[in-house]
Amino acid sequence: MAGSFVRRIGNKGAAIELRQRKKPKSSEYKESAKEKKIDDTAVPERAPKHVLLQRFAKIFIGCLAAVTSGMMYALYLSAYHERKFWFSNRQELEREITFQGDSAIYYSYYKDMLKAPSFERGVYELTHNNKTVSLKTINAVQQMSLYPELIASVLYQATGSNEIIEPVYFYIGIVFGLQGIYVTALFVTSWLMSGTWLAGMLTVAWFIINRVDTTRIEYSIPLRENWALPYFACQVAALTGYLKSNLNTYGEVHEVYKIYIFSLFLGYLLQFENSAFLVSPLLSLVVALVLVKCLQLNVKKGTFVAKIMKVINFYLVCTLTVTLNIIMKTFVPHKENGYMLKFLEVKFGLNMTKNFTMNWLLCQKYLQAPSQDFFLRLTQSSLLPFYILVLIICFLSIMQVIFRRINDKSLKKTVTLEDGQIGERPEIIYHVIHTILLGSLAMVIEGLKYLWTPYVCMLAASGVCSPELWTTLFKWFRLRTVHPILLALILSMAVPTIIGLSLWKEFFPRLMTELMELQEFYDPDTVELMTWIKRQAPVAAVFAGSPQLMGMIKLCTGWMVTSLPLYNDDDLLKRNENIYQIYSKRSAEDIYKILTSYKANYLIVEDAICNEVGTMRGCRVKDLLDIANGHVDCEEGDKLTYSKYGRFCHEVKINYSPYVNYFTRVYWNRSYFVYKINTVISFQS
């Protein structure tokens, strides 16, 4: 009895001593806590040498695989491009014709920069350009985002490449190199999220197999997305690494908001003080989040006051976002984008319009909803099923975490594999939110699939290769027969291996066949047209025709045109609609007045547009023009209303009055008819 009493007293005294030590915040306690923290962080330094060697080997092999994947993809693109166009065996004019539509415009300004006497002079001529579109001075750098062309031209001349390689090869080489960096960044992001470089290999495999839906590099090299997406992927990879290494989401993601603000401000300056950045809802939201964070009070968790403060903070963020956006729009001069709002109204069936430009844009494939073939292709490569599985598991796990936070349940600072809570990782939360937003946009506009599908490849691969995802799933099912962690480790290796082998067996022979198959890009009519223009047309001549053809004429000949395939300028949109009237049922006099108002000297009629047989009902250019001009009653179907004039593009070919009074045919082939616009009109009986 006495012995046990003494032990109880001793234990009690020790407990009292411990409680007394916790109360005072003396310097000795701070020093001891600091020493304890140092001791805790110093543990990894005493890891065995064989463990460090394994880590180094894993990182080295992963980095080697990432770089090799990027280089191989860039070489694959180069080889495929050569096989498709026979690029090395063609003359310069034939090579330039492979740049279609707006791509031709971008490359033409790259050529202009190389011809400029100095870089400063070249930039000035682009920012004050009056040699491209008749009667119009444009800032080409601002309107077309020509920073890639500026950088490429500087690199070409500064590195002395003009003595080694032709300008076109240098240009496409940079773009293909960026695509290699793009693939490497996706590889690294997937690796960071899953913890294994096997996920990066699977990401690259899915990306290449589904390249019809992941990139447009094969069809149009100079597109802005082919320059921008590699940098975007690098930013995502850097942010993923940042979020993964900083688990204090409340404080460290707060730093990301500041990065967003800086990026928006930098974009505002580089885009010649574009006010759209300042009135952006994203800027208002980020500023509101930062302000609310600064005003936030430290309240004890789990109390009623803490729950009230969460509601107040959410209300403040929403209110401040709307208020700041209204203030910015009030005091910052900007142009309201009513055209985009009207476009969305028509697209979602909330409104109807007869406007030619609006309906023409709606008919473009990249602005329509994705077809069933898109989902079928993703399913055949097994990408879509695994993506849906990974997304559902991650999303439900995130909902669990949010529910626990709402109920103020304590969360672990470090998430381990045994916990089976993949939704607690900040990088997973970020990517799930990101992919849902991008996916929602891609379901409405097919062109945005090139931003979403690579994300799908990365998220699906990182998920199936992550033991934590499988552990989360097995924790929900409460497996008893097999240890969930052991099974998760097995599946995280077995599933991607099986997927990789099946993809190799089914798709690798197809890729090799594409590289071995010789294709040919043959367009002699366009080559003949460009050759005739360069030899026969006066240097000061102005050409009128479809915007896509005008872009090619600007690149191949350098002659001035009346319109361009650009859709971010109201004046150019109006010009395009007016020039397209050559395919409508308008009189010769009307067409003559339109063309001469833009100082056009030559008119080019394309037989492919004039005699177009569209696969989509009502989307041919001539149909859209008839609707806009009131020559077709939309409400009663395709019933034609009375028009006393025939279709201009047909009538002008017949060479009878009054058409020959205004236009004289000077050149034609199977695809193009060129007419000189008469300055002196002589009427014939």
Side-chain angles (χ1 to χ4, degrees), residues 133-195:
V133 183
S134 61
L135 302 178
K136 188 176 178 66
T137 300
I138 60 175
N139 185 341
V141 178
Q142 179 183 10
Q143 282 195 272
M144 305 175 201
S145 301
L146 294 180
Y147 285 107
E149 282 67 31
L150 297 181
I151 296 173
S153 64
V154 170
L155 291 176
Y156 182 72
Q157 294 175 333
T159 58
S161 300
N162 52 346
E163 301 177 357
I164 305 173
I165 188 173
E166 296 179 55
V168 64
Y169 280 109
F170 185 83
Y171 185 87
I172 63 176
I174 291 179
V175 181
F176 289 158
L178 285 175
Q179 299 309 300
I181 294 174
Y182 187 15
V183 166
T184 301
L186 292 174
F187 185 111
V188 172
T189 305
S190 187
W191 180 13
L192 288 171
M193 293 178 64
S194 63

Side-chain angles (χ1 to χ4, degrees), residues 77-93:
L77 289 177
S78 179
Y80 181 81
H81 183 262
E82 175 63 28
R83 288 282 181 173
K84 183 177 181 180
F85 295 108
W86 287 23
F87 216 66
S88 60
N89 297 321
R90 294 188 178 275
Q91 300 296 322
E92 182 180 6
L93 178 60

Side-chain angles (χ1 to χ4, degrees), residues 41 111 178 182 246 297 370:
T41 57
K111 285 180 58 180
L178 285 175
Y182 187 15
N246 294 275
L297 301 175

Side-chain angles (χ1 to χ4, degrees), residues 84-324:
K84 183 177 181 180
F85 295 108
W86 287 23
F87 216 66
S88 60
N89 297 321
R90 294 188 178 275
Q91 300 296 322
E92 182 180 6
L93 178 60
E94 294 176 313
R95 292 174 182 172
E96 292 176 348
I97 287 176
T98 62
F99 298 110
Q100 302 284 327
D102 52 348
S103 297
I105 296 296
Y106 299 129
Y107 184 74
S108 71
Y109 287 120
Y110 166 72
K111 285 180 58 180
D112 292 344
M113 283 297 300
L114 296 180
K115 295 176 183 177
S118 66
F119 177 76
E120 294 78 8
R121 183 62 187 175
V123 172
Y124 178 83
E125 290 180 354
L126 291 185
T127 54
H128 302 79
N129 186 278
N130 59 0
K131 298 179 180 179
T132 300
V133 183
S134 61
L135 302 178
K136 188 176 178 66
T137 300
I138 60 175
N139 185 341
V141 178
Q142 179 183 10
Q143 282 195 272
M144 305 175 201
S145 301
L146 294 180
Y147 285 107
E149 282 67 31
L150 297 181
I151 296 173
S153 64
V154 170
L155 291 176
Y156 182 72
Q157 294 175 333
T159 58
S161 300
N162 52 346
E163 301 177 357
I164 305 173
I165 188 173
E166 296 179 55
V168 64
Y169 280 109
F170 185 83
Y171 185 87
I172 63 176
I174 291 179
V175 181
F176 289 158
L178 285 175
Q179 299 309 300
I181 294 174
Y182 187 15
V183 166
T184 301
L186 292 174
F187 185 111
V188 172
T189 305
S190 187
W191 180 13
L192 288 171
M193 293 178 64
S194 63
T196 172
W197 52 264
L198 188 62
M201 298 292 290
L202 185 56
T203 300
V204 174
W206 266 329
F207 181 91
I208 296 176
I209 290 169
N210 295 282
R211 69 188 186 283
V212 175
D213 302 303
T214 57
T215 178
R216 287 192 287 182
I217 185 68
E218 296 176 4
Y219 310 103
S220 191
I221 294 175
L223 284 179
R224 300 300 85 183
E225 65 194 50
N226 294 332
W227 294 89
L229 288 180
Y231 294 104
F232 172 73
C234 291
Q235 292 172 9
V236 170
L239 185 57
T240 302
Y242 180 80
L243 293 175
K244 185 178 177 66
S245 61
N246 294 275
L247 294 179
N248 183 12
T249 58
Y250 198 69
E252 304 293 346
V253 179
H254 178 66
E255 298 298 323
V256 177
Y257 297 153
K258 298 178 182 178
I259 297 175
Y260 270 113
I261 294 176
F262 174 77
S263 300
L264 286 170
F265 181 71
L266 184 62
Y268 166 75
L269 295 178
L270 292 177
Q271 290 294 326
F272 298 87
E273 299 182 359
N274 189 346
S275 59
F277 287 94
L278 299 181
V279 299
S280 167
L282 175 62
L283 178 61
S284 302
L285 174 62
V286 172
V287 173
L289 288 169
V290 173
L291 291 176
V292 171
K293 167 66 179 173
C294 296
L295 297 174
Q296 203 163 16
L297 301 175
N298 292 325
V299 182
K300 186 178 180 181
K301 294 183 178 180
T303 62
F304 176 76
V305 177
K307 295 181 179 180
I308 294 296
M309 288 303 299
K310 289 181 180 180
V311 177
I312 293 175
N313 289 336
F314 179 77
Y315 173 78
L316 283 175
V317 169
C318 296
T319 306
L320 278 174
T321 300
V322 176
T323 304
L324 288 173

Side-chain angles (χ1 to χ4, degrees), residues 546-560:
S546 70
Q548 290 72 26
L549 181 60
M550 295 302 100
M552 199 178 300
I553 289 176
K554 168 64 176 70
L555 167 61
C556 298
T557 68
W559 266 245
M560 191 175 288

